[in-house]
Amino acid sequence: MPSHSHSLKLSHLSRPGLFRLPKPVSLSAPTRFRSASPFSLDLKLSAPIVRRHECRLRDRLVRFKVFDEDSVGIPFLDDWSDGDGAAGYVLSSSEDEESDEEIVIYPITDDDMPRVRVSADEAFAMTTQRFAMLGRKRRKQRNKFGVLISVGLIIFLSVLLLFVDWCAWRIVRLPLKPFYLTRPFLISAILVSCAGYVCVPLLYMLKIHQIIRNEGPARHSLKKRTPTMGGLFFVPIGVTVARFIAGFSSTEVSGAAVATLGFAAIGLVDDILTIIKNHNSGLSAWVKLLLEVAVGTGFSFWLVTTNISSPYSMKMLLPLPAPVGLVCLGKCYLLLTSFCFVSMGNGVNLTDGLDGLAGGTAALAFIAMSIAVLPICSDLAIFGASMAGACVGFLLHNRYRASVFMGDTGSLALGGALAAMAACTGMFFPLFISSGIFVMEASSVIIQVLYFKTTKILWGAGRRVFRMAPLHHHLELSGIKEPIIVAGAYVISSVLALYAGYVGLISA
């Protein structure tokens, strides 16, 4: 959000809607008023302007500040507290002088404010309070918008799962337990949301804070005190609930759980190194890529050597809609699996840049995959529903404005879980459809880098397609508000999830 910082000269105070000074004003300078309230206003009185208005000013500048939480680049930003926006001020003078002159403030509009005669200090404090209350009202409206988006997503997912459970017997052709997918979804969501009220304050006490890139949008500097590594509590809960409901003997769920925790371990190491270095650089890109390839390759060989339940007589098959049907990839299936692990892990990681963006879109992708794999492996459908519930429970703490971030621990784990579901069933095509947001975010980074390097070689100066990559940062810098971007991503992901689930059902 743009900074609400203004500089007003004394000559502007006579404009309609502001204040009128009916008599000369005497101010002792240099005087500086600082507000603890989150709204910003600079009032500068320059000597020539003051003389024209018959004011007496000893030095050249009087500064008055009130700050909004959306303001950035403020040197004492860390001193803010998450207060209620009440205004306060500190008066300081280099000569320890105080102004005993008075200012008369006449409201121009038809307010109920009476005409009062107050001192200069009280006038500035009153102005501070009024602007602070305006900023506080806007913050409440923005927070309500974040809650509305999250509630809408939860309602959509719950209704969709109830509908799938209602007609699941037609899909699987076998009787399933009541609330087969809704039950793990709700259990994970409730457990994660409750765990968040314990783990989030603990992460804050341990000062496990998010490291904000200097290259990112300036407004993101306000998030630098937000705890991170939220994946530590919502990923294990989602995996555990799936294992418990599907049964600890389920081979597919066990393999998907190991792959998920393996990617979570990579993200955990990256987050720890980032916090230790106090810089946004944990594991190097190549080391992280090699570790992801190692986990994906290991999962591929596990598929070759393990008997997994499948309606087909052989493995390494890729189900596609008619008229294509089943495609046998052979050894290429292993390469596709490794590529899927790497691309999905990094896709979710790149998407995790706005409050609630990665968590909500991942929940939709998990539900789509649960529907797609239901005819092939019903246990994996439980795993997907449980992970979706974990994302939703985490979203209650990660919604706009976020109280915690998932970090690489959570984002890489979600990507690994989605890839594992596709690799066990061959549902790669529905996966890439349901993960359309992740694909767009990763593609925007690739396009930006390639175009910049190509133009730098050809013309000696790099050019950019987007203002900033990934795509959500480009939209931010284009003037679109963060909740609007997230809401739009949810709508697009919802449509893609429905289509992906349909493609998966007709392919199976």
Side-chain angles (χ1 to χ4, degrees):
M1 278 58 67
S3 173
H4 300 283
S5 179
H6 312 279
S7 284
L8 301 178
K9 292 183 178 180
L10 190 60
S11 60
H12 298 167
L13 295 180
S14 60
R15 294 182 179 179
L18 294 175
F19 307 111
R20 290 176 179 171
L21 302 180
K23 73 171 190 175
V25 181
S26 175
L27 298 176
S28 297
T31 305
R32 180 174 180 178
F33 298 85
R34 178 177 298 177
S35 171
S37 170
F39 191 87
S40 84
L41 172 69
D42 283 359
L43 182 58
K44 298 180 180 180
L45 307 181
S46 57
I49 299 299
V50 172
R51 294 192 189 99
R52 284 202 300 268
H53 288 267
E54 300 179 353
C55 297
R56 298 188 300 275
L57 189 65
R58 181 167 303 178
D59 291 328
R60 296 188 60 85
L61 183 64
V62 174
R63 184 182 296 271
F64 176 64
K65 289 190 175 183
V66 193
F67 295 96
D68 185 14
E69 64 175 322
D70 290 337
S71 302
V72 295
I74 301 170
F76 47 92
L77 183 64
D78 290 335
D79 296 333
W80 291 359
S81 61
D82 297 330
D84 56 2
Y89 65 91
V90 177
L91 174 64
S92 62
S93 176
S94 60
E95 299 177 359
D96 296 330
E97 295 182 358
E98 297 181 358
S99 174
D100 54 0
E101 296 290 331
E102 294 181 342
I103 299 177
V104 180
I105 300 179
Y106 297 95
I108 304 303
T109 57
D110 295 330
D111 294 336
D112 294 333
M113 282 184 58
R115 182 178 302 182
V116 294
R117 179 178 296 270
V118 296
S119 66
D121 298 352
E122 294 174 347
F124 282 124
M126 186 182 302
T127 307
T128 303
Q129 178 68 21
R130 291 175 64 85
F131 279 115
M133 295 305 296
L134 291 176
R136 181 182 177 185
K137 183 178 181 180
R138 284 199 307 273
R139 289 197 305 277
K140 289 183 177 180
Q141 291 175 349
R142 290 194 297 262
N143 292 338
K144 289 180 180 179
F145 191 38
V147 173
L148 182 62
I149 296 173
S150 301
V151 171
L153 177 64
I154 295 173
I155 293 175
F156 173 78
L157 292 176
S158 301
V159 171
L160 179 60
L161 287 177
L162 288 172
F163 175 76
V164 173
D165 285 338
W166 177 66
C167 59
W169 64 274
R170 301 179 183 177
I171 300 174
V172 186
R173 302 296 181 183
L174 292 173
L176 297 176
K177 295 181 180 179
F179 305 105
Y180 188 76
L181 297 180
T182 308
R183 185 160 51 100
F185 173 80
L186 293 179
I187 292 175
S188 293
I190 294 173
L191 290 179
V192 171
S193 61
C194 294
Y197 291 104
V198 177
C199 297
V200 173
L202 181 61
L203 293 173
Y204 190 86
M205 290 172 56
L206 296 176
K207 297 184 179 180
I208 304 178
H209 295 159
Q210 178 73 17
I211 305 299
I212 304 297
R213 292 186 307 163
N214 295 328
E215 300 83 5
R219 68 194 65 176
H220 284 203
S221 62
L222 296 171
K223 302 181 180 182
K224 63 182 179 180
R225 298 182 63 186
T226 305
T228 186
M229 293 173 61
L232 284 175
F233 69 89
F234 83 87
V235 172
I237 291 178
V239 171
T240 304
V241 171
R243 291 290 305 274
F244 182 79
I245 295 180
F248 291 94
S249 60
S250 176
T251 305
E252 296 82 2
V253 174
S254 299
V258 171
T260 302
L261 296 178
F263 266 69
I266 298 174
L268 178 62
V269 173
D270 186 49
D271 286 335
I272 292 176
L273 292 179
T274 300
I275 294 172
I276 293 176
K277 295 179 181 179
N278 197 24
H279 190 267
N280 192 23
S281 60
L283 292 172
S284 65
W286 285 108
V287 172
K288 187 187 296 185
L289 181 63
L290 289 176
L291 291 175
E292 292 171 356
V293 171
V295 175
T297 304
F299 191 84
S300 301
F301 285 106
W302 174 80
L303 286 176
V304 176
T305 58
T306 304
N307 293 324
I308 59 176
S309 60
S310 172
Y312 314 121
S313 59
M314 57 186 299
K315 296 182 289 187
M316 309 305 165
L317 295 177
L318 185 65
L320 295 174
V324 180
L326 294 176
V327 178
C328 182
L329 297 180
K331 294 183 178 179
C332 293
Y333 193 94
L334 304 180
L335 297 177
L336 181 59
T337 298
S338 299
F339 171 76
C340 185
F341 270 97
V342 174
S343 60
M344 291 307 302
N346 289 282
V348 180
N349 190 20
L350 291 172
T351 307
D352 185 29
L354 299 180
D355 296 347
L357 180 58
T361 51
L364 289 164
F366 275 115
I367 294 300
M369 289 301 297
S370 296
I371 298 173
V373 305
L374 186 59
I376 299 177
C377 182
S378 57
D379 289 343
L380 274 180
I382 293 177
F383 176 80
S386 178
M387 292 302 297
C391 291
V392 168
F394 177 74
L395 193 63
L396 296 178
H397 305 279
N398 183 242
R399 60 171 174 77
Y400 186 81
R401 296 180 176 257
S403 301
V404 65
F405 298 137
M406 65 174 65
D408 288 1
T409 307
S411 59
L412 292 181
L414 295 180
L418 288 170
M421 292 181 66
C424 288
T425 57
M427 289 294 178
F428 292 103
F429 188 47
L431 173 64
F432 284 107
I433 294 176
S434 62
S435 305
I437 296 296
F438 308 143
V439 174
M440 286 191 293
E441 295 279 10
S443 300
S444 65
V445 175
I446 296 173
I447 293 172
Q448 184 87 323
V449 173
L450 292 179
Y451 185 77
F452 182 84
K453 291 185 176 181
T454 302
T455 53
K456 188 174 183 179
I457 294 174
L458 295 178
W459 296 299
R463 301 179 182 179
R464 294 173 174 83
V465 179
F466 306 101
R467 295 186 178 184
M468 183 178 292
L471 182 61
H472 57 262
H473 287 329
H474 170 77
L475 298 176
E476 272 191 293
L477 296 179
S478 299
I480 304 177
K481 300 297 183 181
E482 184 173 343
I484 302 299
I485 299 174
V486 175
Y490 286 178
V491 173
I492 296 174
S493 292
S494 299
V495 176
L496 293 176
L498 293 175
Y499 182 64
Y502 171 75
V503 169
L505 292 178
I506 63 175
S507 299

